[in-house]
Every structure is written in structure tokens, then in C-alpha cells.
């Protein structure tokens, strides 16, 4: 699947990097401002990178940091997250599904979620997944992780099946992911090998109290995420294409 992903990225890699930068930023920082640690551990169902090492966005001011700290600010950020960020996450999955299918893609794919026919469906699905995964996580973290994999194909299935409602798509994803969750987990886990060097640098920095090493580790994380972000997202889309799209119920 990784080999297929590499082939599909030829010619669209730079474009995909830009999409990934936007994606990682809004998923990796704005969300944490609102939801804290629960967000960090439950957003894998919405397509974030499997493990986020380091605070690589710490030097880039987010919307939450630019606005004054108040309850009203958090309410505004929460509303923006629910009505804009969640649907955008779904549409970015469309983008990389097009890449995996070898189709020509553009920014219109991402903004297409805000059309009259798409928005309500994807907003409902995003909100339901968030609620389900958070509830399972509060019950037990491992339950939330497993459920996040069960629901992980919802948006791609909705793209392929425009008549599917939000709850129907979630149910279909859960059914088709039976017997595939661990395979997807291993596929995503394989990307951790890219982070061996920055992990070592960060551990050395913490152990010695050397802040320069910790800063270097942050830059290494960021560089690697830029490099493998499109590769990771496209590999996930290829997994759907090869294993889930026509999987028996």
C-alpha cells in the first residue's frame, strides 16, 4: 500500500504538502486549545497523524493565542471548530482519496464540503464521531482508540455513497472495519520509524536539560511531518481503496 501511495503522489506531492500543513496545523493545535488532552487522544478517528510528537506548532501563533483569553473566546473557538474545522477534516480525506485513486484533485474538493448537499451530512457525521469516541474514551481509553478505528472510514464511504446518511455511514464503516482495524493500526504504526532520530534527540535533550537539543528535535519532527504527511494520508486512502471500499459486510 505504501508503494502505491508513493506512485500516486508523483506530480501532486508539493500540492499535497500544502494541504497537509493546513491539516496538521488545525488538527494539532487549534483543537488542543479547545478540548485539551481528550482531543489529543481521540482525534485519530478524524484522520490526524497516528502519533503527534513534540509541539511543532508552538512558534506559530494560533487563533486561540491571538484572541484574548476569556470564556467568550473559548465559546467562539468551540463553535468554529464544530461548524468549520470538523467538516474540513472530512473534505481533506476526499482530497487524498482522489490522490489514491489517481484522479486530478484541487482545492475545490476541500471546499466542496460546504455545499448545500454536503455540509449537513458531514457536519452530523463529524459531530457524532466526536461524541461517540469521546464517550468511549471516558469509559476506557482503549475503547476509544478501537472505536476511532471502527469509524475511521466514515467520510470516505460518504464520498463514494452520496445517499448515505451520517449514522448509516458510521455504521457501515464499523461493519466494514471488522477484521481490518489491527491491520490499519500496524500500517499507521509503521510510520513511527521515521521518528526514531528526533525521539532520540528529544530524550537526550530532556535527560541533559539541553534546550537546544529539544528545539532541534522540534525542527526535526516538523521536517519529517512535512515530508511524510502526504505519504501517510495517501497510504490511509489506499488502505480504504484496497481493503474497505468493496469489503463484504
Amino acid at each position: 500500500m505504501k508503494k502505491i501511495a508513493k506512485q500516486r503522489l508523483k506530480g501532486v506531492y508539493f500540492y499535497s504538502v500544502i494541504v497537509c500543513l493546513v491539516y496538521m496545523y488545525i488538527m494539532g493545535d487549534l483543537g488542543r486549545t479547545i478540548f485539551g488532552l481528550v482531543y489529543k487522544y481521540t482525534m485519530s478517528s478524524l484522520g490526524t497523524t497516528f502519533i503527534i510528537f513534540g509541539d511543532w506548532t508552538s512558534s506559530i501563533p494560533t487563533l486561540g493565542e491571538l484572541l484574548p483569553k476569556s470564556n467568550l473566546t473559548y465559546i467562539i473557538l468551540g463553535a468554529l471548530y464544530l461548524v468549520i474545522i470538523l467538516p474540513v477534516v472530512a473534505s481533506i480525506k476526499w482530497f487524498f482519496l482522489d490522490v489514491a485513486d489517481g484522479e486530478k484533485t484541487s482545492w475545490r474538493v476541500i471546499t466542496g464540503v460546504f455545499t448545500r448537499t454536503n455540509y449537513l451530512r458531514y457536519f452530523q457525521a463529524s459531530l457524532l464521531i466526536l461524541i461517540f469516541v469521546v464517550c468511549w474514551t471516558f469509559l476506557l481509553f482503549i475503547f476509544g482508540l478501537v472505536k476511532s478505528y471502527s469509524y475511521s472510514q466514515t467520510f470516505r464511504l460518504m464520498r463514494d455513497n452520496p445517499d448515505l446518511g451520517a449514522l448509516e455511514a458510521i455504521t457501515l464503516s464499523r461493519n466494514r472495519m471488522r477484521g481490518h482495524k489491527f491491520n490499519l493500526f500496524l500500517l499507521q504504526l509503521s510510520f513511527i520509524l521515521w521518528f526514531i532520530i528526533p525521539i532520540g534527540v528529544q530524550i537526550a535533550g530532556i535527560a541533559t536539560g539541553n534546550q537546544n537539543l529539544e528545539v532541534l528535535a522540534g525542527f526535526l519532527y516538523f521536517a519529517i511531518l512535512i515530508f511524510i504527511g502526504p505519504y501517510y494520508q495517501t497510504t490511509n486512502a489506499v488502505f480504504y481503496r484496497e481493503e474497505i471500499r468493496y469489503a463484504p459486510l
Side-chain angles (χ1 to χ4, degrees):
M1 294 183 190
K2 288 184 172 182
K3 185 177 181 180
I4 296 173
K6 288 179 182 178
Q7 293 172 344
R8 293 291 189 267
L9 280 167
K10 292 179 179 178
V12 295
Y13 181 78
F14 179 74
Y15 199 11
S16 299
V17 165
I18 296 174
V19 174
C20 270
L21 283 174
V22 174
Y23 178 70
M24 289 188 296
Y25 184 70
I26 64 175
M27 291 293 289
D29 211 354
L30 177 57
R32 283 202 301 272
T33 300
I34 303 165
F35 290 102
L37 292 176
V38 172
Y39 173 89
K40 180 178 180 180
Y41 290 113
T42 60
M43 290 310 295
S44 59
S45 65
L46 300 183
T48 186
T49 50
F50 178 68
I51 299 177
I52 301 176
F53 296 101
D55 190 9
W56 60 271
T57 58
S58 60
S59 62
I60 307 173
T62 64
L63 182 59
E65 293 168 340
L66 294 174
L67 294 175
K69 299 295 186 296
S70 68
N71 290 334
L72 179 59
T73 295
Y74 290 115
I75 291 173
I76 293 172
L77 288 174
L80 287 174
Y81 177 79
L82 291 175
V83 302
I84 297 178
I85 303 302
L86 282 180
V88 167
V89 169
S91 64
I92 288 176
K93 288 200 172 189
W94 299 359
F95 179 92
F96 286 102
L97 183 57
D98 283 349
V99 173
D101 286 335
E103 298 180 4
K104 186 177 181 181
T105 189
S106 71
W107 285 104
R108 292 183 180 180
V109 175
I110 298 174
T111 58
V113 74
F114 294 104
T115 63
R116 183 180 300 178
T117 56
N118 287 328
Y119 180 77
L120 186 58
R121 293 171 63 236
Y122 284 88
F123 172 74
Q124 289 175 338
S126 301
L127 186 58
L128 286 173
I129 289 173
L130 181 62
I131 292 171
F132 292 161
V133 174
V134 168
C135 288
W136 280 108
T137 300
F138 278 135
L139 184 62
L140 188 64
F141 168 69
I142 190 65
F143 290 168
L145 181 62
V146 171
K147 288 300 180 181
S148 72
Y149 278 93
S150 294
Y151 307 146
S152 62
Q153 308 305 314
T154 298
F155 303 124
R156 298 184 184 101
L157 286 166
M158 293 178 78
R159 175 75 186 278
D160 282 348
N161 303 275
D163 295 331
L164 277 182
L167 197 54
E168 292 174 314
I170 292 171
T171 302
L172 184 59
S173 175
R174 188 179 70 244
N175 292 337
R176 291 198 176 180
M177 281 297 289
R178 286 174 183 162
H180 296 283
K181 290 187 286 293
F182 190 63
N183 293 336
L184 179 57
F185 171 78
L186 291 179
L187 181 65
Q188 294 180 338
L189 189 62
S190 67
F191 284 86
I192 198 174
L193 296 175
W194 288 90
F195 294 94
I196 290 177
I197 293 177
I199 289 173
V201 172
Q202 187 168 36
I203 291 174
I206 294 172
T208 61
N210 190 326
Q211 292 186 345
N212 290 331
L213 286 178
E214 293 188 51
V215 171
L216 175 60
F219 279 113
L220 289 173
Y221 287 132
F222 181 59
I224 292 172
L225 283 171
I226 290 176
F227 180 72
I228 71 166
Y231 181 28
Y232 175 88
Q233 295 293 342
T234 306
T235 300
N236 278 282
V238 171
F239 175 87
Y240 167 80
R241 181 175 175 267
E242 299 292 321
E243 301 290 337
I244 304 303
R245 179 174 271 164
Y246 303 113
L249 299 179

